[in-house]
């Protein structure tokens, strides 16, 4: 018979504080089309997202990024918010059509000047600039010429990378080539729920390869143009793919989805080759003749770290009737973003969900970090996006309290810390996002920001999560309240 613990009259000892290593980098992140606005100002031309969002039926409520958060005009205010938070870094993306309006040829001086002022403003406030060259805003002129399924687009991207490096490389110490090329390739050209809205499975694989090639060419260009010591990386939305059971059929489904979710990019970028099983799984769609001799050597460039974006795990099962789309969390479409997804069905993760309908499971972040650490032990990792959308609103007292987001962040950062203790070389964490913003196909209906934006007035209100995250960024210790 068990005996109860003695009653001491004292509260139990508090849990030990979770403190991150010295030098761990704390930041926030945004993307150009989601926040900048000024879509037709100072020489900027349309991107694929301008055209897509203006196409009826593509974006919820007909929302567009024409104004967004008006960051193009309000950047000083936004940098002030960053300084008040006390973060050490800010990850922003450069709008390709603002800097090189046609996707080829000379730079647009006014576009360069905007990012130059932004970088100088960050440095004046003691905040490290982290520049992403591509967060999905391909110049429409390049899409009209074929877009990412066309090889020439990769060479145009390398040229653009050189323009930005020449303009900002003396002040920006850290660079990312591509953000989430999986979304660009498979949501943009496979399921069509992202710009440019095309739905051709073979083209989505061609796009994936040319995005890989663009990354490799851009890394080589950046190494040639940047000062010694500059950091170069890529950001991948690494999917933590889990079978819903341990059956051989469900494990096989997970292997196939992992192939075109992750290894179609990590294979050539990090290992120097496309996995043979990925080629075999997609042989019914293409013979992969678009991969030319020497391509994988070009793609496989040394990196200073890999950026990881994580929101929720991906649960899959074998189902002979599964069409490889549905409850995968990436938007509704009659077309699948999974070229090897036939006979696979996606399941929602159990438990609480965000406003996006994504299951909240911080252990997925731990598992994928451990996997990267095991497969690439000499490659540091930075969490370049992690966060959640909730139905935030302004209270009668003018505050925006978002305890669900604080709980989400605490849970995920606890798992990041656990991964570090397990030996994974995690160097930093960027909260997505600084501001509520244009959330792609969901328009302005989903709020990911630590700062609330009243879109009618453009008033910014830091949420309770912003204050919580600011304490973490300043101390390196996870706040307990």
């Amino acid at each position: 018979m068990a005996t109860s613990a003695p009653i001491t009259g004292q509260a139990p000892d508090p849990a030990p504080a979770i403190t991150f290593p010295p030098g761990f980098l704390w930041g926030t992140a945004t993307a150009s089309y989601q926040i900048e606005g000024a879509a037709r100002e100072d020489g900027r031309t349309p991107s694929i997202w301008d055209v897509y969002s203006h196409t009826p039926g593509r974006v919820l409520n007909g929302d567009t990024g024409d104004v967004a958060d008006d960051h193009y005009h309000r950047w000083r205010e936004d940098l002030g918010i960053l300084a008040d938070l006390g973060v050490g870094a800010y990850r922003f993306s450069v709008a390709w059509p603002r800097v090189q309006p046609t996707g080829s040829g000379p730079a647009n001086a006014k576009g360069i000047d905007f990012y130059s002022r932004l970088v100088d403003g960050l440095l004046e406030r003691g905040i490290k600039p982290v520049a992403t060259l591509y967060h999905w805003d391909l110049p429409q002129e390049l899409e009209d010429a074929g877009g990412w399924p066309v090889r020439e687009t990769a060479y145009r991207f390398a040229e653009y990378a050189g323009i930005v490096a020449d303009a900002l490389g003396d002040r920006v110490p850290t660079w990312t080539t591509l953000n989430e090329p999986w979304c660009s390739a498979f949501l943009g050209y496979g399921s069509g729920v992202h710009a440019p809205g095309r739905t051709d499975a073979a083209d989505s694989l061609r796009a994936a390869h040319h995005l890989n090639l663009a990354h490799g060419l851009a890394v080589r260009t950046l190494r040639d143009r940047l000062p010694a010591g500059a950091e170069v990386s890529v950001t991948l939305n690494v999917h933590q793919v889990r079978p819903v059971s341990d059956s051989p059929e469900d494990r096989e489904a997970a292997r196939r989805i992992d192939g075109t979710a992750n290894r179609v990019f990590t294979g050539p970028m990090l290992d120097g080759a496309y996995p043979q099983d990925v080629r075999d799984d997609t042989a019914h769609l293409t013979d992969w003749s678009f991969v030319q001799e020497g391509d994988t050597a070009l793609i496989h460039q040394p990196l200073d770290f890999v950026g990881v974006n994580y929101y929720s795990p991906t649960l899959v099962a074998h189902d002979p009737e599964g069409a490889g789309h549905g409850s995968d969390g990436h938007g509704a479409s009659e077309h699948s973003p999974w070229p090897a997804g036939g006979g696979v069905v996606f399941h929602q993760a159990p438990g609480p969900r965000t406003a996006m309908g994504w299951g909240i499971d911080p252990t997925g972040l731990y598992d994928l970090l451990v996997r990267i650490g095991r497969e690439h032990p000499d490659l540091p990792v930075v969490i370049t996006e992690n966060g959640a959308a909730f139905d935030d609103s302004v209270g009668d007292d003018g505050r925006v309290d978002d305890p669900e987001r604080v709980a989400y962040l605490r849970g995920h950062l606890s798992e990041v810390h656990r991964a570090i203790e397990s030996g994974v070389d995690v160097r930093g964490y960027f909260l997505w996002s600084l501001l509520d913003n244009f959330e792609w196909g969901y328009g302005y209906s989903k709020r990911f920001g630590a700062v609330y934006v009243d879109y009618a007035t453009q008033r910014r209100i830091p949420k309770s999560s912003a204050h919580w995250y600011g304490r973490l960024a300043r101390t390196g210790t996870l706040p307990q309240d």
Side-chain angles (χ1 to χ4, degrees):
M1 182 175 181
T3 59
S4 59
I7 299 173
T8 64
Q10 296 179 349
D13 290 338
I18 295 177
T19 299
F20 284 79
F24 192 86
L25 187 64
W26 299 102
T28 65
T30 62
S32 50
Y33 189 72
Q34 292 182 276
I35 68 167
E36 284 182 2
R40 300 175 183 85
E41 293 187 35
D42 293 339
R44 182 188 182 278
T45 56
S47 73
I48 54 175
W49 268 99
D50 292 281
V51 173
Y52 185 88
S53 67
H54 279 268
T55 303
R58 291 296 200 181
V59 176
L60 188 65
N61 300 321
D63 292 338
T64 74
D66 288 1
V67 177
D69 293 332
D70 198 28
H71 174 74
Y72 189 77
H73 300 112
R74 297 171 181 267
W75 61 272
R76 292 179 182 85
E77 177 184 0
D78 294 336
L79 295 197
I81 293 171
L82 280 171
D84 290 343
L85 282 178
V87 297
Y90 175 57
R91 177 177 175 251
F92 65 95
S93 78
V94 178
W96 190 347
R98 196 179 294 285
V99 165
Q100 193 187 34
T102 65
S104 61
N108 172 32
K110 290 185 177 180
I112 290 290
D113 287 347
F114 168 70
Y115 294 107
S116 186
R117 292 191 300 271
L118 180 71
V119 168
D120 287 345
L122 288 166
L123 294 174
E124 288 166 4
R125 292 162 175 82
I127 300 169
K128 178 181 179 178
V130 178
T132 298
L133 288 170
Y134 188 73
H135 201 131
W136 308 350
D137 39 11
L138 182 73
Q140 181 61 37
E141 191 162 323
L142 291 183
E143 172 59 25
D144 292 341
W148 285 112
V150 173
R151 186 178 180 89
E152 182 64 19
T153 306
Y155 293 94
R156 299 283 65 74
F157 180 72
E159 178 186 73
Y160 154 70
I163 289 172
V164 183
D166 287 346
L168 305 178
D170 60 330
R171 288 159 291 159
V172 175
T174 303
W175 296 76
T176 298
T177 54
L178 307 173
N179 179 81
E180 298 187 351
W182 184 89
C183 294
S184 298
F186 296 111
L187 300 184
Y189 294 91
S191 66
V193 299
H194 276 194
R198 287 160 59 179
T199 55
D200 185 300
D203 271 354
S204 72
L205 290 164
R206 293 186 190 95
H209 174 64
H210 295 139
L211 284 155
N212 283 334
L213 182 61
H215 158 77
L217 293 168
V219 171
R220 193 172 62 174
T221 299
L222 292 172
R223 297 290 188 198
D224 287 343
R225 306 287 184 90
L226 295 176
E231 296 180 311
V232 180
S233 67
V234 67
T235 282
L236 306 174
N237 53 321
V238 184
H239 294 67
Q240 180 56 30
V241 183
R242 293 171 168 171
V244 298
S245 81
D246 199 38
S247 73
E249 295 82 6
D250 287 351
R251 291 201 308 270
E252 169 64 10
R255 181 202 61 76
R256 285 194 285 125
I257 295 303
D258 180 72
T260 52
N262 300 321
R263 291 180 291 113
V264 74
F265 299 106
T266 60
M269 287 184 184
L270 306 184
D271 298 320
Y274 283 102
Q276 187 58 48
D277 68 314
V278 174
R279 288 179 177 249
D280 294 342
D281 291 342
T282 55
H284 63 293
L285 297 170
T286 177
D287 61 3
W288 288 78
S289 59
F290 48 77
V291 180
Q292 297 184 12
E293 185 176 356
D295 279 3
T296 52
L298 283 171
I299 296 166
H300 186 213
Q301 298 292 325
L303 298 176
D304 296 289
F305 66 88
V306 63
V308 169
N309 293 356
Y310 173 84
Y311 293 93
S312 184
T314 301
L315 274 61
V316 301
H318 170 72
D319 183 341
E321 304 301 319
H325 61 96
S327 299
D328 61 353
H330 294 297
S333 172
E334 295 179 359
H335 303 272
S336 174
W338 304 102
V344 176
V345 64
F346 290 80
H347 289 263
Q348 291 278 9
R353 306 187 191 288
T354 70
M356 295 291 290
W358 299 343
I360 300 173
D361 187 347
T363 67
L365 180 53
Y366 173 83
D367 288 347
L368 74 85
L369 290 174
V370 169
R371 174 183 176 179
I372 293 171
R374 181 180 67 249
E375 295 178 354
H376 303 282
D378 297 325
L379 183 63
V381 180
V382 173
I383 312 300
T384 39
E385 285 184 28
N386 177 237
F390 292 103
D391 295 325
D392 306 316
S393 60
V394 182
D396 293 339
D397 59 358
R399 293 167 46 89
V400 181
D401 289 320
D402 55 343
E404 301 93 346
R405 183 171 289 105
V406 170
Y408 179 99
L409 296 177
R410 181 184 290 114
H412 285 76
L413 283 161
S414 296
E415 293 298 312
V416 173
H417 187 267
R418 186 161 73 99
I420 294 172
E421 290 193 318
S422 297
V424 185
D425 187 5
V426 185
R427 301 283 181 89
Y429 176 95
F430 286 78
L431 169 65
W432 184 270
S433 174
L434 174 64
L435 303 168
D436 290 337
N437 53 46
F438 177 84
E439 183 48 41
W440 309 114
Y442 296 94
Y444 297 101
S445 69
K446 307 298 182 186
R447 294 183 176 270
F448 274 89
V451 176
Y452 183 93
V453 177
D454 181 331
Y455 296 112
T457 65
Q458 292 295 340
R459 182 186 177 200
R460 275 87 157 126
I461 306 173
K463 304 173 189 178
S464 57
S465 62
H467 300 293
W468 182 92
Y469 187 67
R471 296 203 307 275
L472 170 60
R474 289 188 294 271
T475 66
T477 298
L478 208 60
Q480 296 302 303
D481 57 353

